[in-house]
Amino acid sequence: YKSGDISLAGGKVKLSLPPDFQYLDPANARKVLVDIFGNPPDAGTTDGMIVPKGINFMKDGGWTAVLQWKGEGYVKDDDFAKTDFNEMLSDLKKAYKAGSDERVREGYGKMELAAWAQQPHYDRTTHKLYYAKLFDVDGPEQQLNYDIRILGRHGHLEVSIMSPKSEMSDIEAKAPTILGMVDFTEGNR
């Protein structure tokens, strides 16, 4: 675990972690996602994760905030005004269904997109896109992925907070704190 200030995306993004949060680098995040959570190896490709201090993945479960930098260039605010999110959901369901079928063939549990837990909305002031997806999985309750895309000058940082569905209200309450830890460096905002 690392704490304090962490540099990501070749110095484009800076994490400033308060004392009750820690960072796992990509190699250790991969251990959590693949070895502990039982995902296929390609699910372990990240730029790390933010976790609560003192978390015990083997015992507690809990939430994780997986970080992924996408250097896809500048995204205009107007792009979101034209997006049909119901059509997007339909397309995502088909893609996740194919991916889930492949997961099952490879001996992993299913992970099929069920619905929006929160329909996408874009905050023009902060340049952040928010949405949450619910997944049907092999387990007692649905999986929640609460996703935030933080747009920068040269790409965006994906923050995917993963937890059981029952923790949705807790995740919504924690999201501003987690987002407060992430900032683009000078010239990358």
Side-chain angles (χ1 to χ4, degrees):
Y1 294 102
K2 295 180 182 178
S3 57
D5 292 339
I6 310 293
S7 179
L8 298 176
K12 291 179 180 71
V13 177
K14 178 184 173 185
L15 300 180
S16 297
L17 302 174
D20 48 343
F21 294 91
Q22 295 177 307
Y23 169 78
L24 287 172
D25 65 17
N28 285 299
R30 179 182 176 79
K31 288 178 187 175
V32 171
L33 293 169
V34 176
D35 299 339
I36 296 173
F37 290 172
N39 287 298
D42 62 345
T45 305
T46 74
D47 287 300
M49 65 174 52
I50 298 171
V51 297
K53 189 172 187 175
I55 190 167
N56 181 338
F57 294 109
M58 302 302 283
K59 182 178 177 186
D60 302 333
W63 64 268
T64 61
V66 176
L67 308 171
Q68 184 71 53
W69 169 254
K70 301 286 185 175
E72 298 172 344
Y74 181 74
V75 178
K76 295 180 183 179
D77 287 340
D78 296 340
D79 289 352
F80 296 105
K82 301 178 236 172
T83 304
D84 180 340
F85 292 115
N86 290 325
E87 183 179 324
M88 176 191 279
L89 178 63
S90 178
D91 292 343
L92 286 172
K93 281 183 174 184
K94 291 174 191 169
Y96 274 104
K97 174 69 173 134
S100 181
D101 290 347
E102 182 65 24
R103 283 176 60 103
V104 171
R105 278 192 296 277
E106 293 176 3
Y108 298 96
K110 76 174 182 175
M111 188 165 184
E112 294 179 11
L113 181 59
W116 293 124
Q118 180 182 89
Q119 185 153 344
H121 64 281
Y122 181 67
D123 183 334
R124 287 177 163 270
T125 307
T126 62
H127 306 287
K128 294 177 178 136
L129 174 67
Y130 299 82
Y131 59 97
K133 301 175 294 216
L134 287 175
F135 291 91
D136 291 330
V137 296
D138 294 332
E141 74 175 291
Q142 289 178 310
Q143 173 71 31
L144 171 71
N145 281 21
Y146 188 96
D147 296 320
I148 305 149
R149 304 294 184 257
I150 307 168
L151 306 184
R153 180 168 295 195
H154 305 286
H156 67 275
L157 183 69
E158 296 179 0
V159 179
S160 296
I161 307 169
M162 302 184 314
S163 75
K165 177 186 174 186
S166 59
E167 295 185 29
M168 173 82 174
S169 60
D170 190 40
I171 296 303
E172 287 178 310
K174 283 182 175 65
T177 300
I178 294 167
L179 288 177
M181 299 176 210
V182 179
D183 197 10
F184 286 99
T185 56
E186 193 65 36
N188 292 297
R189 292 184 186 95

